[in-house]
Amino acid sequence: MVRAMARRLVERALRKAGCSKRKPDTGPHTTWLCPCGSHTADIPRHKDISPGVVRDTVDRMKCLPEGWLQ
């Protein structure tokens, strides 16, 4: 079961996995690119990220190793 997470923890895990932010960074979401460059995930700029968005981010970043978001 996926739980809600703080945005800073999700972004820290993405950075540690080698992902980077897509430029320009405008609007209510931040778009992250995976290391291979073929997968993206949109993270809202809220303090807490809902379980559905966390689950969607894990599903979208298929090239990252299992358990990258702990």
Side-chain angles (χ1 to χ4, degrees), residues 15-69:
R15 262 189 242 101
K16 189 174 179 181
C19 298
S20 59
K21 290 182 182 180
R22 179 184 281 177
K23 304 287 187 220
D25 193 23
T26 60
H29 294 79
T30 302
T31 302
W32 286 83
L33 288 166
C34 71
C36 73
S38 61
H39 304 104
T40 62
D42 296 320
I43 306 297
R45 292 190 186 138
H46 302 238
K47 182 178 178 182
D48 295 317
I49 307 300
S50 69
V53 174
V54 172
R55 187 179 317 109
D56 183 57
T57 301
V58 171
D59 291 343
R60 286 176 172 238
M61 297 298 197
K62 295 177 175 111
C63 65
L64 299 182
E66 185 71 28
W68 65 271
L69 185 61

